[in-house]
Amino acid sequence: MSVAVKFVIIGGGPAGNTAATYAARLGADVTLIERDVLGGAAHLWDCIPSKTMIATGGAMSFADRISGMGLSHLDAHLEVDAQRKRIQDIENRLKDHVTELLVSQEVRLIHGTARLKGPHAVVVETQTGLEELEADAILVSTGTRPRIPAWVEPDGDRILTTRQAYPPKTMPEHLVVVGSGVTGVEFVHMFASFGSKVTLIVSRQQVLPNKDPEVAAALEDELLRRGVRLFKGARAEMIERTEAGVAVACDDGRVALGTHALLAIGSIPNSDGMGLEEAGVVTDGGYIEINQHCQSSVPHIYAAGDVSGKLPLSSVASMQGRKIAEHVMGIHTREHRHIDYEKAASAIFTEPEIADVGLAEADAFATGRKIRVTKVPYAATAKALINDDPGGFVKIISDPATGVVLGGSIVGRHAAELISVIALAVTANLKVSDIVESCLVHPTLSEALADAAE
């Protein structure tokens, strides 16, 4: 009788719990260690609360424009305590679901803080003491935490990190957001929807500096239309409390005044103090370097999720977890597809919603690659007019010689859902003709996909 592979996982976020359940189904003896909350702190304390608040803000925005659909105006307002309870209820339901799934697969769960003790041992500090576990394979999926620069000290009252704003103790009258990446613009949209005045500190010359300029411009136009103030080309270097709230000083001499300030300037990996160096695991800036199998420099020690330094997306983390389980159990020796991070779809839940996948138009031009770009406005679809929400567009990037879909961007309502069609085409090397020849439902926004492909 063969002995089950002992698989120890540190971190119960999307990567860890997916690896645990999948490996357990394949016959591994799995132990999962989590110090905070099963389901992942970044997932349940960042992603879920923010998207819940954005959904509420979206409902308020819809109420503001409902007269365009032949209905009387609705005067919606936010109830902060009810919103806080709604977030907690959703978090608890998701956490319970993850726990039930792990228990059903006979995964051993330990609540505690873990560190490596050499390459094949994990020490866990729990409320009752220390426990040492032997492992044939180890997965480190400990995530990240908000980055806090030396020039500011968040107080959880007026100067907030992202995790102190779901929702904050008091709703900001005027919020100054530092950071114009994905997280920053989502907070801008969220609080603007709630009626707060918002100033956004943009260190470069466009919001979303790593996105398609046309996409970023569409978002900027909407933010300006809603009264958001942009400090472009300004880098925050100090935040101070004032009698009225906060003052954010920028390197170009400008000062943004508000009642609250929010830091959204990236994250740092949760890898310090874990014994990685002693175990021989190579890191770069705290992120664990991995190969195509998510193996670290020590082959039986894996890393996944945000701590791996790859795309910080829950979907990517879950896929890494699954691939790691397959590798640990030897299934990769059969048919196995490596993760292609360049083909991972992503979305930004602003208004308008933004989603993209694969090759970007600007990147293709920068490298001199020949591409075909086709774009169709939402306004060309009946569904967008029916919804009284015609803003946005679908853009598809394809190879002019073969017609293979290389990438795409969507700006507008339900972009995060619609991008799945383009993502499938990119992953499966489908052609634009495959999309054109699909009989899509009418009237729907997805018809813009076929129109753009044509």
Side-chain angles (χ1 to χ4, degrees), residues 307-377:
V307 78
S308 71
K310 299 299 183 181
L311 292 174
L313 302 171
S314 294
S315 55
V316 169
S318 295
M319 182 62 74
Q320 288 178 316
R322 178 187 165 196
K323 296 296 185 181
I324 289 169
E326 291 178 350
H327 197 267
V328 167
M329 300 306 292
I331 293 181
H332 69 286
T333 58
R334 306 173 214 167
E335 183 178 350
H336 181 85
R337 181 183 293 176
H338 297 309
I339 301 174
D340 189 339
Y341 296 101
E342 293 183 355
K343 295 182 179 179
S346 64
I348 306 171
F349 294 88
T350 48
E351 194 169 307
E353 204 165 273
I354 294 169
D356 57 24
V357 66
L359 182 66
E361 181 179 4
D363 292 339
F365 287 143
T367 59
R369 180 170 184 175
K370 292 183 178 180
I371 57 172
R372 177 173 178 257
V373 182
T374 51
K375 189 176 80 169
V376 169

Side-chain angles (χ1 to χ4, degrees), residues 7-180:
F7 187 21
V8 176
I9 300 171
I10 306 172
N17 68 61
T18 300
T21 54
Y22 201 71
R25 289 181 195 143
L26 296 173
D29 177 2
V30 183
T31 299
L32 176 61
I33 305 158
E34 173 56 58
R35 69 180 180 183
D36 290 321
V37 57
L38 280 172
H43 186 62
L44 292 181
W45 291 349
D46 291 337
C47 180
I48 298 305
S50 68
K51 303 311 177 283
T52 301
M53 291 178 65
I54 286 169
T56 299
M60 294 180 69
S61 295
F62 179 74
D64 287 341
R65 60 182 176 82
I66 203 169
S67 58
M69 302 181 76
L71 299 172
S72 299
H73 179 74
L74 298 177
D75 185 18
H77 65 280
L78 178 68
E79 294 184 0
V80 177
D81 290 341
Q83 179 71 6
R84 184 176 290 110
K85 182 180 184 304
R86 171 171 154 77
I87 291 171
Q88 291 173 345
D89 288 346
I90 292 173
E91 289 175 347
N92 289 335
R93 289 182 65 178
L94 293 173
K95 179 185 68 176
D96 291 345
H97 171 71
V98 170
T99 303
E100 290 169 4
L101 180 60
L102 292 167
V103 170
S104 71
Q105 299 299 320
E106 299 184 350
V107 174
R108 184 188 177 200
L109 304 176
I110 300 178
H111 183 73
T113 301
R115 60 180 173 83
L116 302 184
K117 184 183 179 182
H120 282 282
V122 175
V123 176
V124 188
E125 182 179 352
T126 69
Q127 290 183 341
T128 58
L130 296 178
E131 180 177 354
E132 186 170 328
L133 305 170
E134 292 185 359
D136 299 309
I138 299 170
L139 167 59
V140 179
S141 54
T142 47
T144 57
R145 61 187 183 274
R147 185 171 75 87
I148 302 172
W151 44 262
V152 63
E153 186 175 345
D155 58 14
D157 179 28
R158 295 286 179 172
I159 304 173
L160 311 169
T161 68
T162 53
R163 292 185 182 176
Q164 295 168 333
Y166 298 127
K169 296 176 182 177
T170 57
M171 191 55 56
E173 179 181 337
H174 187 162
L175 179 68
V176 181
V177 177
V178 181
S180 60

